[in-house]
Amino acid sequence: MLEGRVVIVTGAARGIGQAYAARFAGMGAKVVAADISPCDETLAAVKAAGGEGIGINLDVTDMRSVAAMAERTLAAFGRIDGLVNNAALYGALKGGKFEAIEEAQWDAAMAVNVKGIWNCCKAVVGPMRKAGAGSIVNIASLAATYGMPYALHYTTSKAAVIGLTRGLARELGRDNIRVNSVAPSAVATEGTREFFGAKHDKAIETVRDNQSIKRTLDPTDLVGTAAWLLSDMSAFVTGQTISVDGGTVLL
Ligand SMILES: NC(=O)c1ccc[n+]([C@@H]2O[C@H](COP(=O)([O-])OP(=O)(O)OC[C@H]3O[C@@H](n4cnc5c(N)ncnc54)[C@H](O)[C@@H]3O)[C@@H](O)[C@H]2O)c1
């Protein structure tokens, strides 16, 4: 499905980002695994899938770092066909009543989860325009489509991702660059364990109970939707947020 496509996945060192990188490589993509943490494990998974990829140290909040990521991708593979904006602060954020959220945590959530996506989009749009095509997939969340309480910094940042997706899709449509979002429900990842802490099992159970499909989402469940959005199979789809939440929020 992604034969020969050059796809950047941010936040690819672990969890869902790692699953995207490895599975996209298995579908024939040349993968750029970018993260603030080392991506060695992800690159091993890319190789094991029979694919090709490079790892890049990236801080999405730093435009110089983001620009360097785009330059390194172009140097390695000559073009950028797809970008998956998956990097986010999630497990690192502390939940609680909205009045109690620390200002530094609020600012960090916005810097990584929102400004980080803006930065990465700015870095890839030049090469995509030049090529006359591109697909950007932003990772939103059930937190936004449902309206998750007690983590308002996270919920708000993910709602911003949906707004950014819609506005940017309209700006970039004339360049044949598509912008869409994927909104997963709670996925079994280290990030989820860190995020819910002692309340993890109960939270996962509640999310599962609200789904039409009564099992917990696995990172690999998200790969098909993201790959479809990156491929020409979705050539006329832009500005959309696709819920991969086992039928929780129904449009
Ligand atoms: N796990 C879930 O239940 C769930 C549900 C809905 C949406 N999501 C979203 O899916 C994505 C992946 O979730 P996950 O559970 O794999 O999270 P995770 O915390 O395991 O992974 C996030 C990755 O982003 C990286 N990262 C953080 N700050 C960065 C920065 N400044 N620059 C570059 N990389 C940075 C981290 O190092 C990490 O590897 C996130 O956008 C998350 O908000 C997750």
Side-chain angles (χ1 to χ4, degrees):
M1 195 186 241
L2 299 177
E3 204 56 51
R5 296 276 157 113
V6 177
V7 178
I8 299 173
V9 181
T10 70
R14 68 176 201 172
I16 301 169
Q18 186 174 90
Y20 290 138
R23 299 283 172 131
F24 294 165
M27 294 176 190
K30 292 171 184 164
V31 172
V32 176
D35 202 297
I36 205 161
S37 299
C39 287
D40 304 346
E41 205 183 283
T42 304
L43 289 179
V46 164
K47 268 209 183 110
E52 197 183 338
I54 58 169
I56 293 181
N57 181 264
L58 167 75
D59 179 354
V60 295
T61 66
D62 176 355
M63 195 57 214
R64 273 173 310 184
S65 172
V66 172
M69 170 190 73
E71 277 161 28
R72 276 203 57 200
T73 302
L74 291 170
F77 297 124
R79 37 178 235 278
I80 302 171
D81 300 305
L83 165 69
V84 180
N85 281 310
N86 169 79
L89 286 186
Y90 171 50
L93 296 177
K94 208 166 81 203
K97 289 186 179 166
F98 83 94
E99 314 97 296
I101 291 171
E102 290 166 20
E103 195 174 341
Q105 282 246 318
W106 182 278
D107 291 345
M110 299 307 152
V112 177
N113 301 6
V114 185
K115 188 177 173 189
I117 292 185
W118 179 49
N119 284 344
C120 291
C121 291
K122 283 192 287 181
V124 302
V125 80
M128 285 181 174
R129 275 193 177 120
K130 216 166 158 189
S135 176
I136 297 172
V137 178
N138 299 321
I139 307 306
S141 173
L142 177 71
T145 55
Y146 171 79
M148 182 172 71
Y150 305 118
L152 212 62
H153 43 356
Y154 183 71
T155 295
T156 305
S157 73
K158 290 299 181 177
V161 172
I162 295 172
L164 182 153
T165 298
R166 292 176 175 168
L168 192 58
R170 291 191 196 276
E171 282 198 38
L172 296 181
R174 70 185 66 248
D175 297 309
N176 195 32
I177 300 170
R178 299 181 296 109
V179 190
N180 292 285
S181 293
V182 174
S185 57
V187 194
T189 65
E190 284 171 74
T192 300
R193 289 213 162 269
E194 291 162 8
F195 185 73
F196 289 113
K199 294 181 185 146
H200 174 268
D201 291 355
K202 180 78 191 126
I204 287 285
E205 197 184 308
T206 305
V207 171
R208 199 171 46 224
D209 284 350
N210 283 326
Q211 293 173 180
S212 304
I213 299 170
K214 305 292 181 193
R215 69 168 171 83
T216 300
L217 181 60
D218 183 81
T220 55
D221 287 316
L222 295 161
V223 172
T225 304
W228 176 73
L229 288 171
L230 290 168
S231 78
D232 289 342
M233 303 272 282
S234 59
F236 211 55
V237 177
T238 195
Q240 303 304 312
T241 296
I242 300 183
S243 290
V244 183
D245 63 5
T248 306
V249 174
L250 307 180
L251 295 179

